[in-house]
Amino acid sequence: MFKFLNLEPEIFGIDINDSSLKIVKLKRKLRGFDLVSFNELKIKQGVIKEGIIQDQETLANIIKMACVTVKGKRLGTKYAIVSLPEEKSFSQLIQMPKMTGEELKSAVPFEAENYIPLAINKAYLDFQVINSHKENSKHLDLLINVMPKYIVDSYVLCCKKASLMPCILETESQAIARALLKNGNNIPSVILIDLGYDSTNFIIFSGDSIRFTCSIPISSQQLTHAISDGLGVSLHKAEALKIKHGLNKKEKGHDDIDKAIEPILHDLATQIKKYIDFYHGHPFHEDSLSNGKIGKIILSGGGANLKNISDFLSKELKIAVELGNPFTNIISPKNNNFTHKDILSFTTALGLALRGASEQLDNYNNT
């Protein structure tokens, strides 16, 4: 997380990726957090490429338009918590001797240089102390998060061009975990997989923290292109077929759809297995609950709407797989315009908005 201002305003969430921009604002009420505003606008190809902003003016205009055309109540604030592209971030669990918070602030950057793949003076670095489940432990477990400065600065600049003030910038994985997991600590090891239009985020969460993240270059749009190529139909038609039929071996006459998309899904399962093996082969989970054993996989993102994908991955991975509920910590909306399909694709935006609505922004420093 990257902190910028010393203010306590109302804050809404903005999820920005290569293909779309989503806005969510929540309001704290006596019985919980209520959805009061939301919006989604498409981003044309080329404005953002693999998380890197290519056209700042166009993106700033899209942000402005999304803010003034929100559904529900008007935003009424210029302060936002904004997502940063997971594929451009670097996270690592490291161990440090026990020391004070001030000592950690000085020591962590020097230790992080042994792990991060870029010069420390060209990156923003943040870290989180993870509670150890061993009271007599002689070390601290820290999750460090690093992002190139030019990436962070470009997102800040676009927001400012759109007359917004970014109070917090946060990687997608942090927002996804906040949206899908019940508030509180001591969560057994679980995998969160966010199947997006452009890429897939892979997150291992255990105890009270993210333990491992990566971005997998497999996406919902790849499935659409595979159906288009395999059946010789337009992308628009392929998308409609994907949504209607998904994986459905019991439905006669649609074997060609399964044949088109199954190789991509097998590849996804293979990569998930690879990262699970990598996680188990490293000491990331020595202090976590369940001894690092993965209890289940939770799916989110628009791609999770593919019919029968949970059953397919569960069979391939031999792990329970279920669809996530991004309203786990939010009052379910009564607005008919916010469909079940929307809910999964808005996971990151809802997680951002949750933090914005629940956190007092004190002691934040300007950059």
Side-chain angles (χ1 to χ4, degrees), residues 121-339:
N121 64 337
K122 294 184 178 179
Y124 290 117
L125 181 148
D126 191 27
F127 66 90
Q128 174 188 359
V129 178
I130 299 171
N131 292 331
S132 173
H133 296 288
K134 296 180 180 179
E135 294 182 1
N136 60 348
S137 176
K138 296 181 180 179
H139 66 265
L140 293 172
D141 288 334
L142 276 70
L143 182 71
I144 60 171
N145 196 301
V146 180
M147 182 78 70
K149 286 184 177 180
Y150 79 94
I151 296 288
V152 177
D153 293 343
S154 67
Y155 279 80
V156 172
L157 181 58
C158 276
C159 288
K160 289 184 175 180
K161 285 184 175 182
S163 300
L164 296 182
M165 191 62 68
C167 299
I168 307 171
L169 283 86
E170 184 172 74
T171 56
E172 294 166 317
S173 59
Q174 293 168 309
I176 291 165
R178 186 180 302 110
L180 296 178
L181 300 176
K182 191 69 177 175
N183 284 335
N185 298 329
N186 300 327
I187 295 173
S189 297
V190 63
I191 294 176
L192 310 176
I193 297 179
D194 190 76
L195 299 157
Y197 182 80
D198 306 293
S199 64
T200 292
N201 290 324
F202 176 95
I203 306 155
I204 296 180
F205 193 102
S206 183
D208 56 5
S209 172
I210 291 171
R211 301 280 169 162
F212 178 78
T213 69
C214 67
S215 182
I216 299 174
I218 292 176
S219 64
S220 179
Q221 69 168 328
Q222 282 182 286
L223 300 176
T224 303
H225 280 275
I227 295 172
S228 176
D229 294 341
L231 277 65
V233 298
S234 68
L235 288 174
H236 180 75
K237 178 67 173 178
E239 180 69 15
L241 289 171
K242 182 183 74 174
I243 293 171
K244 182 177 180 180
H245 301 290
L247 281 168
N248 198 344
K249 293 183 178 297
K250 295 181 180 180
E251 189 173 353
K252 294 182 179 180
H254 297 287
D255 290 345
D256 289 343
I257 297 176
D258 288 354
K259 289 178 181 178
I261 63 178
E262 279 189 350
I264 297 173
L265 295 177
H266 279 296
D267 186 19
L268 175 62
T270 297
Q271 295 203 43
I272 293 171
K273 288 178 184 176
K274 179 183 71 175
Y275 287 117
I276 292 174
D277 290 343
F278 177 79
Y279 173 72
H280 286 157
H282 291 72
F284 298 129
H285 59 269
E286 66 171 12
D287 285 331
S288 64
L289 299 180
S290 308
N291 294 318
K293 183 179 179 181
I294 305 300
K296 63 181 176 181
I297 294 174
I298 301 175
L299 302 180
S300 65
N305 288 301
L306 184 73
K307 290 181 181 178
N308 300 316
I309 189 172
S310 297
D311 292 339
F312 176 89
L313 289 176
S314 181
K315 182 178 179 181
E316 290 290 313
L317 299 169
K318 306 297 188 293
I319 300 174
V321 180
E322 63 184 46
L323 289 181
N325 176 17
F327 281 90
T328 294
N329 299 302
I330 303 169
I331 301 168
S332 295
K334 297 178 181 179
N335 191 320
N336 292 330
N337 291 326
F338 208 75
T339 66

Side-chain angles (χ1 to χ4, degrees), residues 23-76:
I23 285 178
V24 171
K25 184 182 177 185
L26 302 175
K27 188 81 171 180
R28 184 195 291 270
K29 295 192 175 180
L30 289 177
R31 58 195 184 99
F33 297 101
D34 197 16
L35 175 71
V36 293
S37 311
F38 71 97
N39 203 3
E40 177 180 13
L41 291 184
K42 298 300 181 184
I43 297 176
K44 69 178 182 180
Q45 188 175 4
V47 175
I48 306 174
K49 185 176 181 180
E50 297 178 353
I52 301 174
I53 299 171
Q54 307 290 328
D55 186 342
Q56 292 191 357
E57 294 300 328
T58 297
L59 180 57
N61 288 332
I62 293 172
I63 295 172
K64 287 180 182 178
M65 180 61 67
C67 290
V68 299
T69 60
V70 291
K71 300 173 180 66
K73 295 182 179 179
R74 69 182 186 88
L75 293 174

